[in-house]
């Protein structure tokens, strides 16, 4: 993994590289999202108030990649994973960047890849940590999420 300052410099000099997938269909946004949180040696600081992305030095890279090529948020790699799915699988923070990815591409939240019983807790986490606007935006664009979910009775 490369130093975040180096990655930011390369993206500033060659922003077109954010639009180039690798042989597995991974855009740079996928690659960055796939870094497990426990492997990120650059994590530092208190995690309270993380919505600004200041708790992880690498969060700025996700934001920069989203600015350069927001369409990558909705792309699935050859394994069927979107950047949002990779962020979730790898324990990344549900901060403003996560919300931005979700707002850019609500279909990126692949709830069908999770147990149906997890739908309500995932939506609760989206609402609590990404904000009500993000949750309502998601529900407006994906009304199918609320269909046939018997576990809603407990919420």
């Amino acid at each position: 993994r490369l130093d975040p300052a180096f990655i930011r410099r390369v993206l500033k000099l060659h922003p077109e590289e954010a639009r180039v997938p690798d042989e597995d269909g991974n855009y740079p946004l996928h690659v960055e999202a796939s870094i497990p949180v426990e492997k990120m040696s650059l994590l530092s600081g208190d995690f309270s108030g993380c919505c600004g992305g200041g708790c992880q030095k690498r969060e700025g890279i996700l934001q920069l990649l989203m600015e350069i090529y927001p369409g990558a948020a909705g792309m699935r790699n050859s394994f069927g994973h979107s950047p949002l799915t990779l962020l979730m699988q790898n324990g990344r923070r549900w901060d403003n960047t996560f919300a931005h990815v979700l707002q850019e591409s609500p279909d990126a939240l692949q709830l069908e890849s999770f147990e149906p019983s997890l739908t309500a807790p995932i939506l609760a986490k989206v609402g609590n940590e990404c904000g009500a606007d993000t949750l309502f935006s998601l529900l407006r664009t994906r009304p199918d999420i609320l269909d046939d979910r018997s576990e809603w009775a407990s919420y």
Side-chain angles (χ1 to χ4, degrees), residues 119 123 139 142-149 152:
T119 301
L123 291 177
L139 293 174
R142 298 268 319 269
D144 59 297
I145 291 173
L146 300 177
D147 294 342
D148 301 322
R149 301 290 180 172
W152 293 109

Side-chain angles (χ1 to χ4, degrees), residues 34-95:
S34 69
I35 300 172
V37 71
E38 63 271 3
K39 300 275 183 185
M40 296 175 68
S41 61
L42 298 173
L43 292 176
S44 63
D46 178 14
F47 283 115
S48 62
C50 280
C51 282
C55 297
Q56 297 181 18
K57 294 178 183 178
R58 297 194 73 101
E59 289 305 320
I61 296 171
L62 283 168
Q63 291 169 351
L64 183 57
L65 288 167
M66 284 295 299
E67 288 170 15
I68 294 171
Y69 186 38
M75 302 291 189
R76 294 186 189 205
N77 62 19
S78 60
F79 305 103
H81 300 291
S82 70
L84 191 65
T85 302
L86 294 169
L87 286 168
M88 291 171 66
Q89 288 174 349
N90 290 292
R92 300 291 289 273
R93 303 295 304 172
W94 289 46
D95 63 4

